[in-house]
Amino acid sequence: NAKRFARDFAVKGYAVGNVDDKWVKAVSEAFEEKIAKDAQTKHATAAVIDLTGKNLVVRVKGSNENDINHLLVNIYQIGKTTDEQALCAFFLREGLHDQAFSILRTQKQLGYVVRAYFFYYDVIAHFAVIVQGTRLLPDEVDREVESFLRTYEEILRNLTETQFQEKRANFIKVLQEKPRDLKTKANEDWMIARRSVSDFLQKRRLIEKAPSLTKDQVIDFYTKTFKGENKLSLQLYTPKSEIPKTLLTPEESYSGGRPALVESFAVLETMKRFTADQ
């Protein structure tokens, strides 16, 4: 069992603080000595479903009978990013969340939790929109989220060149900010270190390329990300709710393609995954 365990797990470490190279090397070597001698080292790959060409919906009921909250998690997959794509994603991150909060929570009051954010699962990049609340069922909230994404495209297109340059200048300042303490620095670095391919120089490259970022680049990236048939909508209903069978029409869905209902999470497990060379 120990040998099989050693073959089937991946280890990634990160050290920060008042330590030197000798200490880190000693700890690393001591750990490696505990691993079975026949353990095989290979490049780790992310077990991430490839959503290319898909617009999937999964609907399930929660198990807590007393819970009155519904939950919607929409995931829009980007894939492995170039520096230009990552730059556009980081540029959009703050503005997208602020507008989602303003429109979906403050104006429409769809939930007490509303988030829109950019993240990596291993090396695969995604945007996600989360809404948790009691006012509407998740499928109805999904319709509102898609409508919001259409609205945000219009907001981007209506930016004047001067407004875009101001946003880009503020974005560059944020990129250039250094961590204020060791904990923030450790968290920032660990988010990179835990990926199967760690790129600690990406931020430096993004800072160098940010001044040349254009409005057209951002809009092109936005539409490819959110209209590109690469969506997974996870919809959690309360135990007392009826799960609907209808789906958004192509006209209601900002994301490309006709939504397809997936019967269970087990079905997702059978779908194609990203490979190391994709």
Side-chain angles (χ1 to χ4, degrees), residues 64-84:
N64 186 351
E65 294 290 339
N66 298 318
D67 195 350
I68 61 173
N69 292 293
H70 304 289
L71 175 66
L72 173 78
V73 181
N74 279 359
I75 297 172
Y76 304 86
Q77 191 174 81
I78 302 165
K80 293 185 178 180
T81 57
T82 62
D83 283 348
E84 287 71 23

Side-chain angles (χ1 to χ4, degrees), residues 254-268:
Y254 179 76
S255 304
R258 183 179 294 275
L261 191 62
V262 178
E263 294 181 359
S264 66
F265 287 105
V267 176
L268 295 178

Side-chain angles (χ1 to χ4, degrees), residues 25 28 30 34 108 143 154 166 196 226 231 235 266:
K25 186 177 181 180
S28 177
K34 301 297 182 182
K108 297 190 175 183
R143 183 180 295 107
E154 295 175 1
E166 289 175 354
S196 56
F226 293 102
K231 174 189 174 185
Q235 303 178 6

Side-chain angles (χ1 to χ4, degrees), residues 203-218:
K203 186 174 181 179
R204 182 185 302 175
R205 297 195 305 271
L206 297 186
I207 291 173
E208 293 173 354
K209 294 179 179 181
S212 62
L213 182 67
T214 68
K215 175 182 168 180
D216 287 342
Q217 277 181 290
V218 173

Side-chain angles (χ1 to χ4, degrees), residues 14-30 32:
Y14 172 71
V16 63
N18 188 24
V19 295
D20 58 24
D21 291 345
K22 291 183 179 180
W23 181 87
V24 174
K25 186 177 181 180
V27 171
S28 177
E29 290 177 348
E32 289 176 4

Side-chain angles (χ1 to χ4, degrees), residues 139-169:
D139 56 296
E140 297 171 316
V141 177
D142 185 25
R143 183 180 295 107
E144 295 291 340
V145 168
E146 294 290 290
S147 176
F148 159 74
L149 293 174
R150 185 176 289 106
T151 298
Y152 195 71
E153 180 187 342
E154 295 175 1
I155 291 174
L156 291 173
R157 292 189 183 279
N158 289 333
L159 287 174
T160 65
E161 187 58 32
T162 299
Q163 289 172 329
F164 178 80
Q165 290 178 9
E166 289 175 354
K167 288 182 177 294
R168 185 179 61 194

Side-chain angles (χ1 to χ4, degrees), residues 118-185:
F118 170 67
F119 71 99
Y120 281 94
Y121 187 90
D122 198 337
V123 295
I124 310 302
H126 307 76
F127 267 101
V129 180
I130 296 177
V131 180
Q132 181 176 351
T134 61
R135 184 176 177 188
L136 296 177
L137 294 174
D139 56 296
E140 297 171 316
V141 177
D142 185 25
R143 183 180 295 107
E144 295 291 340
V145 168
E146 294 290 290
S147 176
F148 159 74
L149 293 174
R150 185 176 289 106
T151 298
Y152 195 71
E153 180 187 342
E154 295 175 1
I155 291 174
L156 291 173
R157 292 189 183 279
N158 289 333
L159 287 174
T160 65
E161 187 58 32
T162 299
Q163 289 172 329
F164 178 80
Q165 290 178 9
E166 289 175 354
K167 288 182 177 294
R168 185 179 61 194
N170 291 333
F171 167 62
I172 293 173
K173 287 182 181 179
V174 173
L175 269 183
Q176 293 174 332
E177 285 182 358
K178 295 183 178 180
R180 297 178 181 179
D181 51 49
L182 189 59
K183 180 180 179 180
T184 303
K185 172 63 175 174

